[in-house]
């Protein structure tokens, strides 16, 4: 049996492992179901790696199914060993509470909660936190053998280097979650990243043991997003690409996507956006015939920035991009300039009125005084977007930005930030 939604997921490259492909197709043809994905509060924000399974959940929602978003207030206290070769550092309960709050807000931005099949948010602290040790060991510990747990990748790969009993137990806790949601939310499917296969199948094992072999629950994992050049996906110069605008500004976020290579852009449009197959295929043609226009990258960056930060943040990001491209910085506010130039070389200086030539030598922008004079007279230097050709030009805080910082450009593209100390 084929199912439109599953076919679409397959075409998008979103299916990695599945427990019972046929069985799931059959269920989805007949019923509207509930399904879940969990995120542990390891930080106060999600990064773009987290959103792939979540966006997949949203694709289910768009087909009438109901997403359950689980925040791991309990599992975050334990630490998932999956995909890690070292024991995790425990976080304090207060930190985890803060992280839970941050992640909830971001989930609210991605999902629709109001409609008939609106998303539901749950925290496993609500049932795991209330469970006694005796209940845990008698009601669930008996269902799963240590041998079974030792065979999980997440455990087997750590037997040499060591794994605490705490992290060893993790898979059983996530299994209890699936069983709990199966019982109380009629949840039939769990989705996760490829490293979650072991935890998802533990859940199916517990559900089978408590409900009988005939129970219809399913697991799906999603492939790790890769880059054609072999480097790790989801990193920019400053590290992870976060959803939190305070950690990764909407401008940087937009830049991250717009810089996607031609070799990756179509794959990412399929994985990350909701644009239709026809549109993706049309964009694929543009990559083949007019790659220099970067139409596919623009659509990707627009869709993603709009989804995570909203329309007006997208407008701002595009305005900054345009201003930088044309070199006309006058359209930008001081805070936009700061965001736009966050990654350019920056130097701190005393705030004393100084001729331009001295300043650019001191800041290391021109290599010598002679070079600096040449640069200025040749029109190679601009301050906050204004070309400066006068050798006697004094930077003295008259310009609107110079009391805190100045953006100095040498040549076409080399930007520097000079931050004036108060
Ligand atoms: N273990 C998952 C998060 C998770 C937690 C609890 C669950 O029930 C499901 C998923 C992860 O680290 O990505």
């Amino acid at each position: 049996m084929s199912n439109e939604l599953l076919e679409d997921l397959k075409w998008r490259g979103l299916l990695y492992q599945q427990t019972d492909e046929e069985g799931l197709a059959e269920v989805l043809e007949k019923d509207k179901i509930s399904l879940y994905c969990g995120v542990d509060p390891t930080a106060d924000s999600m990064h773009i790696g987290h959103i792939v399974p979540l966006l997949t959940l949203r694709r289910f929602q768009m087909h009438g199914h109901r997403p359950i978003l689980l925040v791991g207030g309990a599992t975050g206290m334990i630490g998932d060993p999956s995909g890690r070769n070292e024991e995790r550092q425990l976080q304090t309960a207060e930190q985890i509470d803060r992280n839970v709050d941050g992640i909830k807000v971001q989930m609210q931005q991605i999902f629709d909660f109001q409609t008939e099949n609106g998303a539901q948010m749950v925290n496993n602290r609500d049932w795991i936190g209330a469970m006694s040790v005796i209940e845990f060991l008698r009601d669930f510990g008996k269902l799963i053998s240590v041998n079974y747990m030792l065979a999980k990748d997440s455990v087997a790969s750590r037997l040499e280097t060591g794994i605490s009993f705490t992290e060893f137990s993790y898979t059983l806790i996530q299994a209890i979650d699936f069983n709990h949601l199966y019982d109380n939310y009629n949840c039939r499917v769990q989705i996760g990243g490829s490293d979650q296969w072991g935890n998802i199948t533990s859940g199916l094992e517990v559900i089978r043991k408590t409900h009988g072999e005939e129970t219809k629950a399913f697991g799906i994992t999603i492939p790790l997003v890769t880059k054609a050049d072999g480097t790790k996906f989801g990193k920019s110069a400053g590290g992870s690409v976060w959803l939190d605008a305070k950690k990764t500004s909407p401008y940087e976020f937009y830049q991250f996507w717009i810089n996607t290579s031609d070799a990756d852009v179509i794959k990412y449009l399929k994985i990350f956006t909701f644009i239709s197959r026809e549109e993706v295929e049309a964009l694929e043609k543009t990559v083949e015939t007019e790659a220099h226009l970067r139409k596919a990258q623009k659509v990707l960056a627009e869709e993603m920035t709009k989804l995570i930060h909203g329309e007006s943040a997208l407008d701002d990001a595009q305005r900054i991009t345009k201003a930088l491209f044309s070199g006309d910085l006058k359209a930008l506010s001081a805070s936009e300039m700061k965001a736009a130039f966050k990654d350019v070389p920056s130097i701190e200086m005393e705030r004393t009125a100084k001729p331009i030539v001295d300043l650019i030598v001191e800041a290391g922008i021109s290599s010598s005084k002679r070079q600096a004079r040449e640069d200025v007279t040749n029109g190679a230097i601009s301050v906050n977007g204004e070309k400066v050709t006068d050798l006697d030009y004094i930077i003295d805080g008259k310009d609107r930005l110079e009391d805190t910082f100045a953006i100095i450009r040498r040549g076409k593209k080399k930007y520097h930030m000079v931050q004036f100390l108060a």
Side-chain angles (χ1 to χ4, degrees), residues 36-40 70 72 75 80 88 124 170 174 177-178 190 196 199:
Y36 100 100
C37 171
V39 176
D40 272 349
L70 179 147
T75 33
D80 188 352
R88 287 177 190 265
N124 59 9
Y170 185 98
Q174 186 164 334
D177 286 346
F178 197 176
Q190 180 177 176
Q196 293 300 307
N199 292 334

Side-chain angles (χ1 to χ4, degrees), residues 274-386:
F274 295 97
I275 65 177
S276 70
R277 184 165 181 162
E278 291 69 38
E279 284 172 90
V280 172
E281 283 168 352
L283 287 167
E284 195 163 11
K285 290 227 173 61
T286 70
V287 176
E288 282 155 21
T289 58
E290 42 183 16
H292 64 284
L293 296 179
R294 298 183 75 75
K295 282 189 181 160
Q297 281 86 349
K298 280 179 195 149
V299 172
L300 177 66
E302 276 170 29
E303 291 294 314
M304 295 315 294
T305 310
K306 208 162 41 182
L307 176 73
I308 300 301
H309 296 294
E311 294 272 0
S312 90
L314 169 63
D315 285 348
D316 294 344
Q318 287 176 318
R319 204 154 39 79
I320 298 175
T321 305
K322 213 158 112 203
L324 290 194
F325 189 74
S326 65
D328 178 10
L329 305 185
K330 290 186 289 295
L332 302 181
S333 70
S335 70
E336 284 174 336
M337 280 226 208
K338 267 227 147 121
F341 292 102
K342 201 172 144 261
D343 296 326
V344 307
S346 153
I347 179 163
E348 288 185 349
M349 271 189 186
E350 284 310 326
R351 195 205 315 179
T352 43
K354 227 174 245 163
I356 182 75
V357 172
D358 293 349
L359 183 115
I360 60 180
V361 175
E362 246 176 82
I365 298 168
S366 301
S367 54
S368 66
K369 219 161 175 168
R370 196 181 59 80
Q371 179 70 54
R373 275 196 219 99
E374 222 172 87
D375 287 342
V376 172
T377 37
N378 290 344
I381 299 292
S382 65
V383 176
N384 297 333
E386 304 268 18

Side-chain angles (χ1 to χ4, degrees), residues 55-287:
L55 295 177
T56 307
L57 228 57
R58 222 188 104 176
R59 297 180 201 281
F60 276 83
Q61 185 176 29
M62 291 158 89
H63 278 76
H65 305 289
R66 185 176 187 115
I68 302 167
L69 312 169
L70 179 147
V71 203
T75 33
M77 299 283 280
I78 307 303
D80 188 352
S82 305
R84 297 182 60 102
N85 46 22
E86 273 180 6
E87 193 78 14
R88 287 177 190 265
Q89 197 82 37
L90 286 179
Q91 291 185 287
T92 64
E94 294 73 37
Q95 186 61 50
I96 289 177
D97 287 346
R98 273 198 296 277
N99 295 352
V100 165
D101 292 342
I103 288 171
K104 275 185 174 169
V105 170
Q106 296 177 341
M107 284 179 165
Q108 276 156 357
Q109 285 161 355
I110 302 180
F111 285 88
D112 198 337
F113 288 80
Q114 305 309 332
T115 53
E116 206 191 320
N117 63 328
Q120 282 172 290
M121 190 123 62
V122 296
N123 185 339
N124 59 9
R125 198 62 181 261
D126 292 345
W127 55 90
I128 303 291
M131 189 179 287
S132 74
V133 182
I134 293 177
E135 201 182 333
F136 175 66
L137 292 174
R138 283 177 66 96
D139 296 353
F140 298 100
K142 279 281 191 187
L143 303 176
I144 297 265
S145 71
V146 168
N147 316 52
Y148 176 87
M149 293 167 75
L150 285 173
K152 296 278 165 193
D153 272 351
S154 56
V155 177
S157 65
R158 287 268 297 276
L159 288 181
E160 293 267 314
T161 51
I163 180 167
S164 65
F165 181 73
T166 313
E167 289 196 3
F168 171 71
S169 317
Y170 185 98
T171 199
L172 185 52
I173 301 182
Q174 186 164 334
I176 296 172
D177 286 346
F178 197 176
N179 189 65
H180 176 89
L181 297 175
Y182 184 87
D183 282 338
N184 297 282
Y185 291 78
N186 198 17
C187 170
R188 310 288 288 276
V189 178
Q190 180 177 176
I191 294 190
S194 54
D195 63 349
Q196 293 300 307
W197 181 250
N199 292 334
I200 294 174
T201 49
S202 293
L204 294 172
E205 184 72 9
V206 165
I207 293 174
R208 264 196 299 274
K209 290 274 169 62
T210 50
H211 298 80
E213 288 298 325
E214 282 312 296
T215 41
K216 284 255 175 279
F218 305 88
I220 297 176
T221 59
I222 291 172
L224 197 70
V225 181
T226 54
K227 275 171 72 178
D229 67 6
T231 58
K232 203 169 166 187
F233 168 78
K235 302 274 169 195
S236 72
S240 293
V241 179
W242 300 97
L243 305 194
D244 183 346
K246 289 199 284 302
K247 287 184 148 70
T248 299
S249 73
Y251 166 73
E252 288 173 89
F253 190 83
Y254 180 86
Q255 287 302 311
F256 170 79
W257 295 104
I258 205 118
N259 285 322
T260 303
S261 73
D262 290 344
D264 290 320
V265 67
I266 297 302
K267 183 166 86 181
Y268 295 176
L269 280 169
K270 292 176 181 169
I271 295 177
F272 288 97
T273 75
F274 295 97
I275 65 177
S276 70
R277 184 165 181 162
E278 291 69 38
E279 284 172 90
V280 172
E281 283 168 352
L283 287 167
E284 195 163 11
K285 290 227 173 61
T286 70
V287 176

